[in-house]
Amino acid sequence: MELECYPMSDQPCDLVPGRQARDWMDNFAARHPYRCLPLNMANTTGWEILCPIGFTAEWNGGPNQDDILITPDRPHPNLKQVVTSHFTRGVLTMHPQYLFRTPPGWGLMCSGAPNHIKDGIQPLVGIIETDWLPFPFTMNWLFTRPGRIRFERGEPFCFILPVEHHKVETIQPVIRTLESNPVMKGQFEAWNRQRTDFNKRLAAGDPNAAKEAWQRFYFKGELPEEMGSAPESHANKRRLKTPRLG
């Protein structure tokens, strides 16, 4: 399966596999958030499009295009091909500078990079039918209040993830009692006993629990012995391909 990427300029934005690191995760003691496998996997499941310039944008709260002031770090002759105030009312529009083509039935979910936090502005999320669309899309951010924000050169401003979105409509959510699935109920109860015991030992200052620091069952794809075996499909690291010339 290929994701075809057609540059719309002579110097398109860099397109790279999603990176795991986040500044706010680094700032925790012992970088604790990296122990959360769902966070790590979300951060790396997709491709980042990186900002080619550094700039600030300031919104005064008004409804017009000129109510957002965009100031690049250095003069840029094609600034509006990178970032502009297009949709008004505090919406900042950025241009990925690619036309994408996905296989039939597949589209792209376009968003900000997962768990990449920016105070004062929120990425808007879209799903684009890139299996037929013959023109590029934009990445839009909405100011959450009047003020100034900044994008650094090399910072991700768009995150793309191929999705077979039509199949979502075939999924039927079904609410069942845990008792209706005895195997799952037994696994949950075994995990709950182990987790409760570990937390009690940790709170009591048990040196073995303190040394262990956290239970790695999910991260390592393991289950306590009485819970059975984790599937071979378990993943704790994403290995996406770097774009190549076709």
Side-chain angles (χ1 to χ4, degrees):
M1 177 173 168
E2 290 187 346
L3 170 61
E4 298 178 358
C5 313
Y6 298 90
M8 295 285 100
S9 69
D10 294 335
Q11 295 181 315
C13 301
D14 288 339
L15 175 66
V16 301
R19 297 166 293 182
Q20 180 175 291
R22 298 290 184 269
D23 289 344
W24 69 269
M25 295 171 71
D26 290 337
N27 292 334
F28 267 73
R31 301 171 80 234
H32 185 84
Y34 290 105
R35 299 174 183 176
C36 179
L37 182 57
L39 283 179
N40 295 336
M41 296 299 286
N43 292 353
T44 56
T45 302
W47 286 264
E48 299 175 355
I49 302 176
L50 308 184
C51 194
I53 62 171
F55 69 90
T56 60
E58 186 169 5
W59 181 44
N60 64 16
N64 301 317
Q65 286 184 329
D66 58 8
D67 288 320
I68 295 179
L69 176 64
I70 300 168
T71 307
D73 291 353
R74 296 178 178 84
H76 194 286
N78 299 311
L79 181 63
K80 289 188 176 181
Q81 294 180 16
V82 178
V83 57
T84 185
S85 173
H86 177 70
F87 290 109
T88 72
R89 297 193 174 275
V91 175
L92 186 72
T93 296
M94 302 182 71
H95 297 273
Q97 300 179 15
Y98 288 93
L99 194 160
F100 294 100
R101 177 66 79 237
T102 44
W106 288 77
L108 286 183
M109 179 175 285
C110 166
S111 67
N115 305 308
H116 181 69
I117 311 301
K118 291 191 74 66
D119 184 43
I121 197 165
Q122 172 74 24
L124 303 181
V125 181
I127 294 180
I128 303 100
E129 293 183 330
T130 45
D131 55 351
W132 68 268
L133 195 70
F135 50 85
F137 56 83
T138 60
M139 174 65 204
N140 296 287
W141 293 71
L142 179 66
F143 277 88
T144 57
R145 62 178 181 272
R148 178 182 297 177
I149 62 93
R150 175 168 178 79
F151 275 90
E152 301 290 348
R153 185 175 185 271
E155 180 180 351
F157 72 88
C158 183
F159 191 86
I160 56 172
L161 175 63
V163 290
E164 204 171 5
H165 58 97
H166 289 295
K167 287 194 174 181
V168 173
E169 299 175 13
T170 70
I171 297 173
Q172 174 62 62
V174 179
I175 298 174
R176 296 192 174 103
T177 64
L178 195 55
E179 286 73 19
S180 68
N181 189 329
V183 173
M184 183 178 289
K185 183 174 185 292
Q187 290 177 336
F188 166 75
E189 290 175 345
W191 169 84
N192 195 40
R193 286 192 297 271
Q194 294 237 1
R195 186 66 172 172
T196 300
D197 175 70
F198 174 77
N199 286 337
K200 286 181 178 179
R201 290 189 292 112
L202 192 63
D206 184 315
N208 291 328
K211 183 178 179 181
E212 187 177 349
W214 56 295
Q215 291 180 303
R216 298 171 173 84
F217 295 129
Y218 180 48
F219 201 100
K220 296 170 65 177
E222 298 175 349
L223 296 175
E225 188 172 325
E226 59 184 305
M227 293 169 61
S229 301
E232 293 183 1
S233 60
H234 170 72
N236 61 15
K237 189 173 183 179
R238 192 68 73 201
R239 298 170 177 84
L240 297 190
K241 294 177 173 57
T242 299
R244 62 170 174 79
L245 294 177

